[in-house]
């Protein structure tokens, strides 16, 4: 494809664009991401030594008897410069790396994605999808697909985001703009969805335990925020699409193919499909139907083997907890079916070679994950994340506010804490015992409190390196821009965070306090002690 087909109009310069340029410049003053995580890990060790020496501690808000709660009811900064701390570092260095959740998920998923990519399936599917489709419709579809993909666990991170880059490249648009749109939907819109996902029963259980500190019989359902989540899906799709089209993509300007990995650039992406490729897609479709039928057999019937063996539940079940296996099966089955028809795959050796090639492309990501895993583990060992969460909660308590405006500070506090404590469940496990009883006593229901928390938790996922998949997104992005740094990625995603916080928080106030609509089935806005 001619170079001029890759160009877009010159980026518009205004105050907001210059502000993002400043963020990018400051962020890119930081060292290479691998070096940055290594330095952060060392910094946490040194800081823990200082804070441990001065005895920094806060009162643990969790109930007596909670797993992990100290006998004296305090959360103390743990020094990693002590003898025990140094021994823990040396014995845990390997397991920190191998047990880092995103690493296994990515490696397993990429085994399947590699087969689909090497066979030519992904290229043909992208071409079939984008040829003749208006560009703005593609942007909307990608953001929406990102939000909905959360139902299927990690599929959005390991499949949709890199696929979005390929789609935008095929359309002659900046691939990073496509990845940004997908990332905004998958991670920025984490708490918006049409369906109940695996995180919903987990958060509801934490909220229920916190609510029972006030009302021992209170029950919080997994569907507690479902109505608000469904409505938020369309809001985040709209806002994410507008930010992509009018802010992010214009700022990125034209795509410089000279800084991209040549292996991912294919100027045949816009060629019409051949008859053999159409036939291959048809057989891939048959393979897809077979996989879907197998999935249904394991989940839908009462005797489904991948339902929860204790409760029979379909959501909190091995089916979703092990969804990465379905990603592997899906791509191997459809990729091989396509490859057999078009002649790119003939036997098991071709499949194995495709898997090996896919993993060989993850070298930088694996190195980055090693150091990121150490940083995340050290941060957890020192209790600094939990101390930050409790300190922020105490600050809100000290404000003395009781009206709905309190939720503004609450959401912003959750945004801030999420920058350092990336796990939604870990953050809520520490803050829920503070906020849920406190806000219940002044008249707000646990379900509404949880909905507000989820806004704050989701909107800053896309700008914090503490988010488990941030390193993966960075690795994907460097395939299109080899000199891309942490600052570039943060500046690219910051507009989504800003507009998501403003619009989603406003929508929350309108939904709950303006129209007094329930955030979910049987979920009132107010609670009467």
């Amino acid at each position: 494809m001619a170079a001029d087909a890759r160009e877009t109009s010159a980026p518009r310069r205004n105050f907001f664009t210059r502000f993002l340029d400043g963020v990018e410049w400051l962020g890119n003053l930081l060292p290479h991401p691998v070096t940055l995580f290594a330095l952060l890990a060392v910094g946490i060790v040194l800081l823990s030594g200082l804070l441990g020496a001065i005895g920094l501690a806060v009162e643990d808000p969790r109930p007596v008897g909670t797993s992990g709660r100290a006998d004296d009811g305090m959360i103390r900064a743990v020094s990693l410069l002590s003898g025990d701390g140094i021994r823990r570092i040396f014995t845990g260095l390997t397991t920190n790396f191998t047990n880092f959740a995103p690493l296994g998920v990515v490696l397993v998923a990429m085994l399947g994605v590699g087969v689909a990519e090497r066979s030519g399936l992904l290229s043909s599917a992208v071409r079939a999808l984008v040829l003749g489709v208006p560009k703005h419709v593609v942007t909307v579809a990608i953001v929406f697909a990102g939000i909905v993909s959360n139902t299927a666990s990690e599929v959005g991170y390991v499949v949709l985001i890199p696929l979005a880059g390929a789609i935008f490249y095929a359309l002659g648009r900046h691939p990073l703009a496509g990845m940004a749109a997908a990332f905004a939907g998958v991670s920025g819109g984490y708490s918006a969805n049409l369906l109940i996902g695996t995180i919903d029963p987990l958060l509801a259980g934490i909220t229920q335990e916190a609510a029972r500190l006030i009302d021992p019989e209170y029950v919080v359902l997994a569907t507690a925020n479902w109505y608000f989540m469904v409505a938020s899906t369309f809001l985040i799709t709209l806002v994410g699409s507008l930010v992509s089209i009018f802010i992010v993509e214009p700022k990125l300007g034209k795509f410089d193919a000279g800084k991209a990995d040549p292996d991912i650039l294919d100027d045949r992406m816009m060629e019409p499909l051949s008859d053999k490729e159409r036939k291959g897609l048809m057989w891939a479709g048959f393979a897809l139907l077979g996989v879907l039928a197998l999935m249904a057999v394991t989940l839908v019937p009462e005797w489904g083997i991948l339902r929860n063996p204790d409760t029979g539940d379909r959501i909190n079940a091995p089916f979703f907890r092990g969804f990465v296996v379905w990603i592997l099966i899906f791509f191997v089955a459809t990729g091989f079916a396509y490859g057999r028809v078009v002649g790119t795959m003939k036997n098991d050796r071709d499949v194995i070679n495709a898997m090996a090639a896919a993993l060989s492309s993850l070298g930088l990501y694996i190195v980055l994950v090693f150091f990121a895993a150490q940083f995340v583990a050290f941060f957890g060992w020192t209790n600094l994340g939990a101390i930050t969460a409790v300190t922020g909660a105490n600050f809100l308590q000290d404000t003395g506010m009781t009206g709905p405006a309190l939720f503004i500070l609450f959401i912003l506090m959750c945004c801030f804490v999420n920058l350092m404590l990336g796990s939604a469940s870990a953050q809520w496990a520490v803050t829920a015992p503070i906020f849920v009883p406190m806000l219940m006593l002044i008249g707000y229901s646990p379900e509404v409190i949880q909905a507000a928390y989820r806004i704050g938790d989701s909107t800053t996922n896309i700008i914090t390196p503490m988010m488990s998949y941030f390193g993966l997104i960075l690795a994907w992005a460097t395939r299109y821009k080899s000199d891309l740094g942490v600052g570039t990625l943060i500046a690219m995603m910051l507009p989504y965070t800003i507009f998501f916080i403003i619009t989603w928080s406003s929508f929350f106030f309108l939904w709950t306090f303006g129209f007094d609509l329930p955030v979910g089935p049987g979920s009132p806005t107010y609670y009467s002690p």
Side-chain angles (χ1 to χ4, degrees), residues 51 62 85 110 151 158 190 215 219 305-306 325 353 357 366 413 424 451 460 502 510 518:
L51 298 180
R62 293 173 294 180
M110 283 303 296
T151 305
V158 298
Y190 185 68
D215 186 343
V219 175
I305 195 170
L306 291 183
V325 179
N353 289 336
I366 293 173
M413 193 278 300
T460 50
I502 295 171
L510 186 64

Side-chain angles (χ1 to χ4, degrees), residues 441-509:
L441 289 175
I442 57 177
Y444 300 107
S445 73
E447 293 84 354
V448 163
I449 302 165
Q450 177 180 283
Y453 159 74
R454 298 181 73 171
I455 294 173
D457 172 67
S458 297
T459 50
T460 50
N461 277 338
I462 49 182
I463 61 170
T464 173
M466 286 297 294
M467 199 274 295
S468 300
Y469 288 92
F470 191 87
L472 176 64
I473 309 309
L474 192 64
W476 290 134
T478 55
R479 300 178 72 184
Y480 291 105
K481 192 175 187 297
S482 58
D483 60 348
L484 182 139
V486 172
T488 303
L489 183 55
I490 291 176
M492 186 170 69
M493 301 310 300
L494 186 59
Y496 296 103
T497 292
I498 293 172
F499 283 94
F500 281 176
I501 291 175
I502 295 171
T503 57
W504 210 351
S505 299
S506 301
F507 184 60
F508 169 78
F509 275 85

Side-chain angles (χ1 to χ4, degrees), residues 192-468:
N193 214 320
L194 300 180
L195 302 173
I196 300 299
T198 54
I199 191 66
D200 294 281
L202 180 59
L203 294 182
I206 296 172
T207 304
Q208 177 174 288
E209 290 305 310
R212 287 184 173 181
L213 296 174
I214 300 298
D215 186 343
E217 303 299 322
Y218 204 94
V219 175
V220 179
L221 303 175
T223 56
N225 301 144
W226 188 35
Y227 295 161
F228 184 68
M229 287 166 54
V230 171
S232 296
T233 301
F234 301 101
L235 172 72
I236 296 302
T237 299
L238 174 63
V239 175
S241 301
L242 292 176
V243 170
S244 296
I245 294 167
F246 294 108
I247 297 178
V248 174
E249 194 165 3
K251 183 182 182 301
L252 286 170
K254 71 174 184 178
F255 173 52
D256 183 1
K259 294 183 178 180
D261 181 351
D263 292 339
I264 64 171
L265 303 181
D266 185 357
D267 283 332
R268 298 172 299 170
M269 285 291 284
M270 293 305 285
E271 293 181 1
L273 294 172
S274 66
D275 291 339
K276 184 177 286 188
E277 287 173 327
R278 290 193 184 93
K279 185 178 180 181
L281 288 176
M282 180 181 70
W283 280 97
F286 291 150
L288 168 61
L289 292 176
V291 173
L292 293 176
L294 180 61
M295 294 171 73
V297 167
T298 63
L299 184 67
V300 175
E302 294 294 330
W303 44 263
I305 195 170
L306 291 183
R307 294 175 66 160
N308 189 309
D310 299 320
T311 65
D313 187 31
R314 293 187 177 94
I315 299 298
N316 184 21
F319 182 92
F320 285 105
R321 290 198 295 270
F323 200 83
V324 67
V325 179
W326 288 117
I327 297 176
L328 172 64
I329 295 171
F330 165 78
F331 280 109
V332 170
T334 57
F336 186 72
Y338 176 88
R340 283 284 293 181
V341 172
V342 302
T344 54
M345 289 198 163
K346 299 177 182 178
N347 51 43
D348 60 318
R349 288 184 179 274
D350 294 326
V351 173
I352 293 169
N353 289 336
M355 290 179 172
L359 293 187
S360 68
S361 68
L362 294 177
L364 175 62
Y365 173 67
I366 293 173
V367 174
L368 187 149
V369 161
F370 175 79
F371 291 98
Q374 308 311 323
F375 169 60
V376 172
F378 294 173
F379 197 73
W381 292 348
T382 59
N383 285 337
L384 296 185
I387 290 173
T388 301
V390 174
T391 302
N394 291 338
F395 166 75
L396 282 188
Q397 276 188 304
D398 293 341
T399 63
M401 298 176 64
T402 58
L406 174 63
F407 280 91
I408 297 176
L409 290 178
F410 176 47
I411 292 172
L412 291 177
M413 193 278 300
C414 293
C415 290
F416 175 73
V417 172
N418 190 53
L419 295 174
M420 291 166 288
L421 199 62
S423 168
S425 58
Q427 183 186 158
W428 193 226
V430 173
T431 53
I434 301 172
F435 287 115
V436 172
M438 179 183 78
L439 296 179
M440 284 178 70
L441 289 175
I442 57 177
Y444 300 107
S445 73
E447 293 84 354
V448 163
I449 302 165
Q450 177 180 283
Y453 159 74
R454 298 181 73 171
I455 294 173
D457 172 67
S458 297
T459 50
T460 50
N461 277 338
I462 49 182
I463 61 170
T464 173
M466 286 297 294
M467 199 274 295
S468 300

